[in-house]
Amino acid sequence: MASAASIGRAASPDKAPAECRAQVANALKLLEPCLGSSSRKIAKGNAGTLEHAISTYVPGHLHAVDEGTLPPVHPSAKCPSDMALAFGRFCVDRYEGSLVERLADGSTTDFSPYTTPLDGHVYLARSVAGVVPQGYISASQAANACKAVGKRLCQAVEWRAACAGSEGYAYPYGPTRIVGKCHDTGVAPMLTYHADTMKRGWGLTELNDPRNNQLEGGLAKTGTFPDCVNDFGVYDMVGNLHEWTADPNGTFQGGYWLDTSQHGDGCAYRTISHGYTYHDYSTGFRCCADVALPVASAP
């Protein structure tokens, strides 16, 4: 990851600038349709809920965030088998994204998850278990890969809602962090390979070193942590890799295996100070999609 100085850190809510508190309040308002149920196991806003986790961490400096909007509920909505239906509103990939490349002859080949996609090439996003997810990818590259298969990057508000599951928990699996449920600890590749340049500050060359995600004890294959799942059947939304959202200002969420709390806990985690074209070893993605609706029969 980039140095802490380059990232918008959270502030104590009572000390954060008013415009930052307003930004968080707006994010909570947009989530309300998915968090307002009176039947939730933990009452709205209490400790252990997504909204409590969000409200606890307020950016210390304002960075614009396009939260997006939640799609309407469709009672008969359906999703492809590699996606889960969230709240009857949208589809979300079950696993962190990986890529295949479409060649000039129309055939496809696996793309290395340890390198950055190349300009002028066509990549297709996929959501499958048991593969190394794609790091080293920017939001713009991830958006193109999702679009190539009829999907899209999740809106920021969709991502958080999907992560928290139907109960709106702070973590996919429940209200309280349990170390090891998700891939939220591990080996630090930057200290392993680039300790000698840490003092001057790591640049894009070090941060995009292909070795970073090949180090044993680092990045895990999709679905390796079977308990890191919510009740929608979506895996790894906390830890393993950061996941880009559709915010054109640049927002990734969920944290990666060495940081799932510095910028919010669990499903509330958010980094908002890297541009849409930024990438490093920790940046990954998953796709969302609009729901499929039944075709009306002819009269």
Side-chain angles (χ1 to χ4, degrees):
M1 276 292 297
S3 66
S6 69
I7 298 173
R9 287 185 176 275
S12 173
D14 60 337
K15 296 180 180 179
E19 60 268 28
C20 296
R21 296 197 302 270
Q23 185 181 60
V24 170
N26 179 61
L28 289 169
K29 180 179 179 181
L30 291 170
L31 276 165
E32 180 68 25
C34 292
L35 300 176
S37 172
S38 60
S39 63
R40 291 169 65 185
K41 293 177 182 177
I42 300 179
K44 177 182 174 183
N46 283 2
T49 63
L50 174 61
E51 57 267 40
H52 182 271
I54 291 172
S55 63
T56 302
Y57 288 81
V58 181
H61 300 280
L62 184 66
H63 296 268
V65 176
D66 184 346
E67 299 282 350
T69 57
L70 289 168
V73 174
H74 293 286
S76 300
K78 294 182 179 180
C79 295
S81 60
D82 62 342
M83 307 187 85
L85 178 63
F87 300 100
R89 294 174 181 271
F90 59 94
C91 303
V92 57
D93 278 350
R94 295 185 182 277
Y95 299 99
E96 290 176 316
S98 53
L99 298 179
V100 297
E101 182 177 358
R102 179 183 289 152
L103 305 179
D105 63 3
S107 63
T108 59
T109 184
D110 288 346
F111 181 73
S112 171
Y114 308 120
T115 58
T116 299
L118 300 171
D119 292 340
H121 292 232
V122 177
Y123 301 99
L124 311 179
R126 63 178 181 174
S127 171
V128 294
V131 302
V132 178
Q134 182 67 47
Y136 308 91
I137 191 169
S138 70
S140 61
Q141 292 164 337
N144 287 336
C146 290
K147 183 178 180 180
V149 293
K151 300 179 182 180
R152 54 179 173 78
L153 278 182
C154 303
Q155 299 180 85
V157 64
E158 290 177 321
W159 195 99
R160 278 177 160 174
C163 179
S166 67
E167 290 293 331
Y169 289 135
Y171 296 86
Y173 49 79
T176 306
R177 183 187 178 196
I178 302 174
V179 176
K181 281 267 190 180
C182 293
H183 189 21
D184 54 9
T185 59
V187 177
M190 299 304 294
L191 296 179
T192 301
Y193 295 124
H194 306 291
D196 58 331
T197 57
M198 180 173 62
K199 189 172 183 179
R200 68 160 169 78
W202 292 316
L204 291 178
T205 298
E206 292 94 344
L207 290 165
N208 287 280
D209 185 337
R211 295 177 299 172
N212 292 343
N213 283 1
Q214 299 180 61
L215 183 64
E216 186 175 354
L219 181 63
K221 292 183 178 180
T222 55
T224 297
F225 291 76
D227 292 331
C228 189
V229 62
N230 59 27
D231 59 356
F232 296 140
V234 180
Y235 292 82
D236 304 323
M237 292 196 81
V238 167
N240 213 36
L241 284 176
H242 294 303
E243 297 183 15
W244 285 109
T245 68
D247 174 16
N249 302 298
T251 294
F252 48 73
Q253 303 189 163
Y256 79 126
W257 75 89
L258 292 176
D259 172 20
T260 60
S261 61
Q262 184 178 358
H263 304 294
D265 283 324
C267 294
Y269 184 105
R270 171 178 287 181
T271 293
I272 56 177
S273 58
H274 289 302
Y276 202 66
T277 59
Y278 175 83
H279 54 78
D280 66 32
Y281 73 99
S282 73
T283 57
F285 75 103
R286 81 177 65 222
C287 304
C288 281
D290 297 332
V291 298
L293 300 177
V295 178
S297 58

